[in-house]
Amino acid sequence: MARRSRVRAVAAAAGAVALVAGVFGTGPARADTADAARGMTVQFAEHELFIGTEPASVDLSYRWKVAGGGTAHHVHLTVDLSGVADFAEPAPSEHCKSNLCTLDLASATSDFHAITLVPKPGAAVGSSGTVTVSGTASDATVTGDHLTLTNGATQLKVSASAEQLHQVPGDTLTFPLDVWNNGQLPAAKGVELRIDTTAGLHLQGSWANCRDVPASDRGGHIVRETLCDFPTPVEPGRQYALSSPLRVKVGDEALRDKIFYEFTPLTSAAPANGPGTPLTLVPRGAMPSDGNIDPYFTTYVNSVNHADFAVTGDTVTGRRGGHATLHATVIARGPAVVEDLLDDDAFLPVLVKLPPGTKATKIPDNCQPPPTDDGSDPGPRMGRSSYQCYFGDPAPGDRHVLSFTVAIGPRTPAVSTGQVRTLEVMKGLDPDASNDSAALTLRLAQGGSAGGGTAGASGSVSGGPSAGSGPLADTGFGGGWIVWAAGALLLAGGVAVELSRRSRGGN
């Protein structure tokens, strides 16, 4: 029997060796094939560059990557500048020859390299050409790239406006915008003006060459986006003004708002005007020597306004040793929309104190134990008696319901009252304190503490905690159900011991 077992073991081992050989015996040949077919890409970081602007030089950056995160060997990369040689050349520090800049790598995975180009003296403004990058490798196929380089650029700038403070709903603000071209090339086809506003600002008027477009992808709490197209060429060194200033009304929702505007060159002919009078660009002479250095600007508008946040509580019925669910409601009555203009959420904090004698077993996702004074971790979420909940960017009409399932302890009084209360978002924002807090009341049902249950405002009771309730962690609650659980554990332990003895005896 022992000999037969050894023979079977040897046969099994031989079969395993054969299987390994079958799987991996052609490994090197396959690896060589994979290496030969491996791809390596080389791409420029930007595909349209300008030289001779501010600053005059330009960094031409390209990056390479081997497919699958592998390594290519004996790599030779070449940047060909012959297409732009009439107006651009590599800086003296670059290792280039005859309009070719090369880079040799013994091995390559993923990295980048940059070449500095400078304009040739006296080169014609507006000249344009193509730069290419290509390469070879001993064990990879290299795919190259190209970009367009232009001598000179269009560089639009827009006038700045001062921050607007202490506005009130109903005010009208005016923004007289100027645009100028600080570059070497004209915006030959004209320019486009983008105007973005947040909820509390309302652009006044309509023009034949302006249209509203969806603002859902703009971010930053932008709710309205308007585009205006001007066919007027904006020449280098010249300044232009809007034929009439932008007028913006401060709405009832205003609190912390902004208006953003930006000019960009048109790349195709301006679309046909709609009905009405167009907004136009009026020449104003030479461009200013200083001012805003960007084609865009944001003006912040801070208004004096208020927002009322109201809460309602709940009254439920339950039994000691059971569970109950309390619902608190938070309503934003406005009129102001509360937003953080730095693109972060502004939060309305709500403090919830559960009725004494209860501990939470299920809480809303946006609620946490109150923060500690020293900023340390407040600990587990479940089993607490108080929580702080948060609502982002509260706007008029928002309504939120907070539902807490609680375990009712053995010493819970016949009537136990907690509280839900809003906390300050900013000082003085909510002047009506009469509706900032409400009671959360638990009344014990008639008939003692047996049974447990989940109770609603109607006073009905059903046995057991609701589905999905979280664990009640370390609450220290007493009650008959704990004694029952301990007895069940002892019974289960006795059965397990007896079964173990029988199993050993049988073996």
Side-chain angles (χ1 to χ4, degrees):
M1 178 66 70
R3 175 179 175 81
R4 184 178 299 172
S5 297
R6 286 196 296 273
V7 170
R8 287 178 179 174
V10 171
V17 171
L19 178 61
V20 171
V23 173
F24 297 104
T26 57
R30 291 184 181 179
D32 292 342
T33 303
D35 285 345
R38 178 178 294 138
M40 175 178 174
T41 57
V42 187
Q43 288 187 324
F44 287 113
E46 297 179 76
H47 289 90
E48 185 176 23
L49 291 174
F50 300 91
I51 198 169
T53 59
E54 293 285 341
S57 61
V58 64
D59 288 331
L60 189 155
S61 178
Y62 59 95
R63 177 178 292 277
W64 57 87
K65 183 178 181 180
V66 180
T71 302
H73 300 89
H74 308 294
V75 177
H76 179 78
L77 301 178
T78 301
V79 175
D80 188 347
L81 303 175
S82 57
V84 298
D86 291 342
F87 61 90
E89 60 187 357
S93 59
E94 301 293 345
H95 300 287
C96 304
K97 184 177 181 180
S98 299
N99 297 319
L100 298 178
C101 301
T102 60
L103 179 66
D104 292 305
L105 303 167
S107 62
T109 53
S110 177
D111 209 341
F112 72 97
H113 185 66
I115 299 172
T116 300
L117 301 182
V118 296
K120 284 187 174 180
V125 174
S127 300
S128 184
T130 301
V131 179
T132 64
V133 61
S134 59
T136 61
S138 63
D139 51 5
T141 301
V142 180
T143 302
D145 199 9
H146 67 276
L147 64 78
T148 300
L149 180 68
T150 302
N151 187 24
T154 302
Q155 294 181 320
L156 299 179
K157 314 292 181 186
V158 67
S159 55
S161 298
E163 182 180 19
Q164 303 293 315
L165 302 175
H166 311 301
Q167 305 302 315
V168 296
D171 285 353
T172 299
L173 309 176
T174 58
F175 297 93
L177 299 189
D178 289 358
V179 60
W180 59 92
N181 187 350
N182 195 41
Q184 299 79 26
L185 300 178
K189 292 181 172 28
V191 295
E192 181 176 75
L193 169 62
R194 178 191 304 274
I195 308 165
D196 292 340
T197 52
T198 51
L201 301 179
H202 304 277
L203 185 64
Q204 302 295 292
S206 60
W207 301 275
N209 57 325
C210 299
R211 63 195 185 279
D212 289 337
V213 297
S216 58
D217 62 342
R218 292 291 292 156
H221 305 290
I222 298 299
V223 299
R224 181 179 180 183
E225 179 178 347
T226 302
L227 299 179
C228 300
D229 297 308
F230 303 89
T232 305
V234 177
E235 300 292 338
R238 311 302 295 174
Q239 182 178 10
Y240 303 78
L242 292 184
S243 55
S244 61
L246 300 180
R247 297 173 59 251
V248 176
K249 184 176 180 180
V250 179
D252 293 337
E253 316 92 327
L255 185 67
R256 300 291 180 264
D257 291 281
K258 64 182 177 183
I259 177 172
F260 170 89
Y261 38 88
E262 178 183 24
F263 280 97
T264 55
L266 284 173
T267 57
S268 59
N273 288 346
T277 303
L279 187 66
T280 61
L281 290 179
V282 179
R284 287 195 59 187
M287 69 178 186
S289 58
D290 56 10
N292 183 33
I293 61 173
D294 296 307
Y296 53 84
F297 195 79
T298 299
T299 299
Y300 291 91
V301 180
N302 290 341
S303 301
V304 179
N305 206 349
H306 66 276
D308 183 27
F309 302 108
V311 297
T312 58
D314 195 9
T315 298
V316 298
T317 303
R319 292 189 176 98
R320 294 188 181 102
H323 293 75
T325 300
L326 295 140
H327 305 284
T329 304
V330 182
I331 303 172
R333 294 182 173 175
V337 175
V338 181
E339 296 173 333
D340 188 327
L341 296 185
L342 298 180
D343 294 351
D344 296 323
D345 287 332
F347 291 100
L348 168 66
V350 176
L351 181 64
V352 177
K353 294 184 176 180
L354 300 175
T358 68
K359 300 289 184 181
T361 61
K362 185 178 181 181
I363 68 174
D365 291 339
N366 58 324
C367 299
Q368 300 287 340
T372 59
D373 292 338
D374 60 0
S376 60
D377 183 3
R381 296 177 71 229
M382 296 301 171
R384 300 303 187 94
S385 59
S386 63
Y387 291 89
Q388 196 155 306
C389 309
Y390 300 91
F391 303 100
D393 295 333
D398 286 355
R399 184 178 184 273
H400 305 278
V401 177
L402 298 170
S403 298
F404 289 84
T405 299
V406 298
I408 304 171
R411 293 181 293 275
T412 302
V415 178
S416 180
T417 301
Q419 186 189 61
V420 54
R421 177 166 57 93
T422 60
L423 304 178
E424 278 192 333
V425 179
M426 58 184 70
K427 189 173 180 62
L429 178 63
D430 184 354
D432 183 4
S434 64
N435 56 13
D436 289 353
S437 63
L440 296 172
T441 302
L442 170 67
R443 298 180 184 274
L444 294 186
Q446 299 293 330
S449 61
T454 301
S458 64
S460 61
V461 178
S462 60
S466 60
S469 296
L472 180 58
D474 192 23
T475 64
F477 279 22
W481 62 275
I482 296 181
V483 175
W484 180 91
L489 288 173
L490 288 174
L491 177 61
V495 172
V497 170
E498 181 61 25
L499 288 176
S500 176
R501 289 173 178 171
R502 292 183 181 181
S503 176
R504 287 197 298 271
N507 288 337

